[in-house]
Amino acid sequence: RVGSATSLSSTIINNRLQELVKLFKERTEKVKEKLTDPDVSSDDESPASSPAKLAPAAAPVPPLEEEPERDKPAGDEHYCEMLCCTFKYRPWLDHLKNYQFPSSIDPLTNLMYVLWLFFVVMAWNWNCWLIPVRWAFPYQTPANIHYWLLVDYLCDLIYLLDIVVFQTRLQFVRGGDIITDKKAMKENYLRSQRFKVDVVCLLPLDFFYFKVGVNPLLRFPRCLKYMAFFEFNNRLEAILSKAYIYRVIRTTAYLLYSLHVNSCLYYWASAYEGLGSTTWVYDGEGNSYIRCYYWAVKTLITIGGLPDPKTLFEIVFQLLNYFTGVFAFSVMIGQMRDVVGAATAGQTYYRSCMDSTIKYMNFYKIPKTIQNRVKTWYEYTWHSQGMLDESELLVQLPDKMRLDIAIDVNYNIVSKVALFQGCDRQLIFDMLKRLRSVVYLPNDYVCKKGEIGREMYIIQAGQVHVLGGPDGKTVLVTLKAGSVFGEISLLAAGGGNRRTANVIAHGFANLFILDKKDLNEILVHYPESQKLLRKKAKKMLKNNNKPKDEKGVPGDPLIIPPKADTPKLFQAALAAAGRMGGKGPLAQLRWRLKELKVMQA
């Protein structure tokens, strides 16, 4: 029937369909290429490739056709020709010229604002540390006065920019709404207490220099910009991973500054009494600042060994110094204790839990092997997670934030589980919030063969071995981080299916566990996903329970199925035909069956 009209027309249609499929594939590839790289031109626009490209390397290659010159847009766009390609770039100077300062600044998350606060705090520290030094010690002289004034007015410029540029652009919250309107932000700052203090900081008392000379005490209002210092502390601690280190440094700086101010006051008192006039005052020898600072340390920390004051002024000054030193030093010690205590609060909690557990095990005379494993679990869990129970930390967060953290940690793994593909996305989100972290020690059994499966496991870190074989100790497969197992048991009917193999931890393994009870509580709200999961679970269980061949692997499907056995009644008839001498239709059928068996073999 090959030559018939019907067969000929079907062959033509088949060839035409194959051509159409080929054209559609080529068109799809072109569209994909254009979507991936919009600059790629079509076949009609691009010049034909030269056949010389396919020639051997020894043959001379003729020059390629020159591409038509691209229309370079006029204006501020620049091009850099490198090798055979043209790259679009913009000089850094143009970036700087076209930079637009933000109309509003988020003071809680904007790192640029934190950097600006750093410069403001540096200017504030210049005034706080060096105004007392220039007032008390003879370090400011007519020869270097212009250097001091240059840095002073640079700090004033930073103060002024902070008021005019940054503080008037800070967002604020009013009635639960984040206000970003320029006029509203400016009015909010002008009505605030901080604006009044900032204005006082920039009082132009420098004009009195023309009357009384360059006296550093006229710049004392610059030290009142303390709000910027405390705001910078809060913002910096929020972005540091180990904020307690900065707190310790800051508390130490408080102590050093109090000693610094005390040394300046001591030199001023010595100059007032007369350098070297008594044994109590500074004698004027050596480095004046270092010697006065040494005296301030011995006084404030009440070390003792100081010369006795002689005059009434010296006695009153020393008494006030002792009282101030005791008060300031006790405050510094208490603050340092709080900082260190807050930094080691987690470590203290871990130690107390471990000590209570050891005391409990000793009271009930638990074997040493079990005690050692418990201690190992405590140590590894603490060092790997920084806490004993992650849920204690996450329970303080709102539900939305817990979901965001769970999505970042586990969504990529759970979404790849074959059982959950195609389900409602919100169902997976609810499952992520129910996952709990468990740490297994080396050779711990995650699940045992024959027990009822009620959990699904997700490997976060480490490896587990699936054991099987006649002795139950043969490693069938090793599952690594990101693998999932036990998911079918979550939806198995009849109380859960039984585990078919032992699973043990190869080393330390961090696993996330989802309980069957939690999943059932979630599926109540997703009936369509529940039907889909039940259907998938039955299909997966059916595939797992298929008969296996001799090697323990499910048999491969045969392209040609085996022929059914000959019925017994028909075999008896064939045998009777053979006894009749091999004649008749039955004998011919018997001979035909023999040929078929030979061909099948």
Side-chain angles (χ1 to χ4, degrees):
R1 285 180 283 181
V2 177
S4 65
T6 304
S7 177
L8 184 60
S9 61
S10 61
T11 304
I12 296 174
I13 292 174
N14 189 23
N15 294 337
R16 182 57 181 164
L17 287 176
Q18 290 180 0
E19 292 178 2
L20 289 175
V21 169
K22 185 178 179 181
L23 291 175
F24 277 124
K25 285 183 177 180
E26 292 178 356
R27 184 179 178 183
T28 304
E29 293 298 328
K30 291 179 182 178
V31 173
K32 286 183 179 179
E33 189 175 0
K34 287 185 178 181
L35 291 176
T36 306
D37 188 2
D39 296 334
V40 176
S41 58
S42 61
D43 294 342
D44 300 334
E45 298 173 354
S46 60
S49 58
S50 174
K53 291 182 180 179
L54 303 178
V61 181
L64 295 174
E65 297 179 13
E66 293 183 0
E67 281 191 4
E69 187 176 356
R70 298 182 182 179
D71 296 333
K72 298 183 179 180
D76 56 349
E77 294 190 0
H78 302 266
Y79 290 85
C80 172
E81 295 185 359
M82 186 179 297
L83 298 179
C84 61
C85 303
T86 303
F87 299 98
K88 181 180 177 181
Y89 77 100
R90 180 172 292 176
W92 65 271
L93 188 58
D94 288 353
H95 277 291
L96 191 61
K97 290 180 180 179
N98 298 328
Y99 176 75
Q100 294 182 354
F101 198 81
S103 59
S104 64
I105 300 173
D106 185 2
L108 301 179
T109 59
N110 195 315
L111 295 181
M112 182 190 68
Y113 181 64
V114 178
L115 180 61
W116 172 251
L117 286 178
F118 170 76
F119 291 110
V120 176
V121 170
M122 291 297 293
W124 178 75
N125 275 279
W126 167 269
N127 293 316
C128 290
W129 285 80
L130 293 178
I131 287 176
V133 171
R134 295 158 61 186
W135 165 73
F137 293 91
Y139 292 151
Q140 179 177 297
T141 61
N144 60 13
I145 187 65
H146 54 281
Y147 295 111
W148 293 103
L149 294 179
L150 177 63
V151 182
D152 285 344
Y153 293 131
L154 180 61
C155 295
D156 292 348
L157 178 62
I158 294 177
Y159 279 20
L160 184 63
L161 290 176
D162 183 58
I163 295 175
V164 176
V165 178
F166 284 88
Q167 296 302 321
T168 57
R169 286 177 165 84
L170 293 184
Q171 303 173 4
F172 66 98
V173 179
R174 183 171 60 192
D177 296 331
I178 300 177
I179 306 301
T180 58
D181 181 66
K182 292 182 179 180
K183 184 177 179 181
M185 291 186 295
K186 185 176 180 180
E187 293 177 353
N188 178 70
Y189 173 62
L190 296 179
R191 290 195 303 264
S192 65
Q193 183 70 23
R194 182 167 183 173
F195 172 71
K196 301 174 183 178
V197 177
D198 290 346
V199 171
V200 174
C201 290
L202 287 177
L203 285 177
L205 300 180
D206 301 39
F207 288 109
F208 288 99
Y209 286 171
F210 298 104
K211 189 171 183 63
V212 299
V214 182
N215 189 348
L217 286 182
L218 293 175
R219 293 186 56 81
F220 180 75
R222 305 295 191 271
C223 300
L224 299 178
K225 202 174 179 62
Y226 59 90
M227 291 185 180
F229 172 70
F230 290 111
E231 184 182 7
F232 174 72
N233 291 335
N234 295 333
R235 301 292 174 262
L236 188 61
E237 290 178 5
I239 62 178
L240 291 177
S241 58
K242 295 183 179 180
Y244 65 89
I245 297 178
Y246 175 72
R247 297 190 189 107
V248 172
I249 296 174
R250 185 183 62 203
T251 306
T252 306
Y254 291 160
L255 178 60
L256 296 177
Y257 182 73
S258 62
L259 296 173
H260 168 78
V261 173
N262 195 28
S263 64
C264 295
L265 292 174
Y266 175 64
Y267 185 88
W268 170 80
S270 300
Y272 178 79
E273 286 286 302
L275 298 179
S277 59
T278 62
T279 58
W280 181 83
V281 299
Y282 169 59
D283 56 5
E285 297 180 0
N287 189 298
S288 57
Y289 181 77
I290 297 298
R291 287 180 177 269
C292 292
Y293 201 91
Y294 173 73
W295 181 90
V297 171
K298 295 181 70 175
T299 303
L300 286 184
I301 306 180
T302 63
I303 296 176
L306 295 172
D308 297 330
K310 303 298 181 182
T311 64
L312 179 62
F313 175 80
E314 294 175 357
I315 293 174
V316 173
F317 185 89
Q318 188 71 341
L319 287 176
L320 293 176
N321 218 355
Y322 277 139
F323 289 144
T324 306
V326 171
F327 175 75
F329 195 69
S330 61
V331 170
M332 297 299 172
I333 293 298
Q335 190 172 4
M336 188 68 73
R337 181 203 62 188
D338 295 339
V339 170
V340 175
T344 59
Q347 186 78 15
T348 304
Y349 173 73
Y350 156 69
R351 288 295 176 188
S352 63
C353 291
M354 190 170 183
D355 293 342
S356 301
T357 305
I358 292 175
K359 183 179 179 181
Y360 173 85
M361 292 188 296
N362 290 333
F363 179 78
Y364 285 99
K365 299 179 180 180
I366 304 298
K368 288 295 181 181
T369 55
I370 299 179
Q371 290 192 25
N372 292 335
R373 294 182 65 81
V374 171
K375 294 177 184 178
T376 305
W377 180 87
Y378 267 105
E379 292 178 359
Y380 176 78
T381 304
W382 174 257
H383 290 297
S384 62
Q385 299 181 170
M387 61 191 72
L388 297 178
D389 189 3
E390 293 180 352
S391 60
E392 294 181 1
L393 176 66
L394 299 178
V395 74
Q396 304 173 4
L397 300 176
D399 187 70
K400 180 64 172 63
M401 291 185 180
R402 290 205 306 268
L403 176 60
D404 293 341
I405 294 175
I407 289 174
D408 290 338
V409 176
N410 302 318
Y411 180 75
N412 290 334
I413 299 176
V414 177
S415 60
K416 295 178 182 178
V417 179
L419 184 62
F420 300 129
Q421 290 181 358
C423 295
D424 194 332
R425 192 176 183 183
Q426 191 60 41
L427 168 67
I428 299 180
F429 290 166
D430 291 343
M431 287 170 46
L432 295 177
K433 293 187 291 185
R434 300 296 185 96
L435 295 177
R436 54 188 178 89
S437 177
V438 178
V439 175
Y440 289 89
L441 301 184
N443 299 323
D444 273 356
Y445 277 90
V446 180
C447 57
K448 293 185 177 181
K449 183 178 181 179
E451 68 180 10
I452 301 298
R454 299 185 181 90
E455 302 92 6
M456 180 189 74
Y457 301 91
I458 302 173
I459 304 176
Q460 182 192 18
Q463 299 179 357
V464 298
H465 288 328
V466 180
L467 305 182
D471 55 353
K473 297 182 180 180
T474 304
V475 178
L476 301 179
V477 67
T478 300
L479 303 178
K480 300 181 180 180
S483 301
V484 181
F485 60 96
E487 66 272 20
I488 302 179
S489 62
L490 295 178
L491 296 169
N497 68 304
R498 296 186 179 273
R499 305 291 188 187
T500 57
N502 295 326
V503 180
I504 66 170
H506 175 57
F508 290 98
N510 292 48
L511 273 65
F512 284 112
I513 297 179
L514 177 64
D515 291 332
K516 186 175 183 178
K517 179 181 177 182
D518 294 336
L519 181 62
N520 291 335
E521 292 177 358
I522 298 172
L523 288 177
V524 173
H525 307 286
Y526 303 95
E528 296 298 329
S529 298
Q530 185 177 12
K531 293 178 182 178
L532 178 62
L533 289 176
R534 299 287 184 190
K535 184 177 179 180
K536 283 188 174 183
K538 290 180 180 179
K539 185 176 180 180
M540 296 174 74
L541 281 173
K542 185 178 180 181
N543 293 337
N544 291 344
N545 294 331
K546 280 185 177 181
K548 301 180 180 180
D549 59 6
E550 296 177 357
K551 296 183 180 179
V553 181
D556 297 331
L558 297 176
I559 298 177
I560 301 176
K563 183 182 176 181
D565 294 337
T566 305
K568 294 182 178 180
L569 183 61
F570 194 56
Q571 289 180 0
L574 291 175
R579 286 193 292 270
M580 291 172 60
K583 296 180 180 180
L586 290 179
Q588 293 179 1
L589 283 175
R590 183 179 181 186
W591 175 78
R592 185 63 178 167
L593 285 175
K594 286 182 179 181
E595 284 189 346
L596 288 175
K597 286 183 179 179
V598 173
M599 291 174 62
Q600 186 177 3

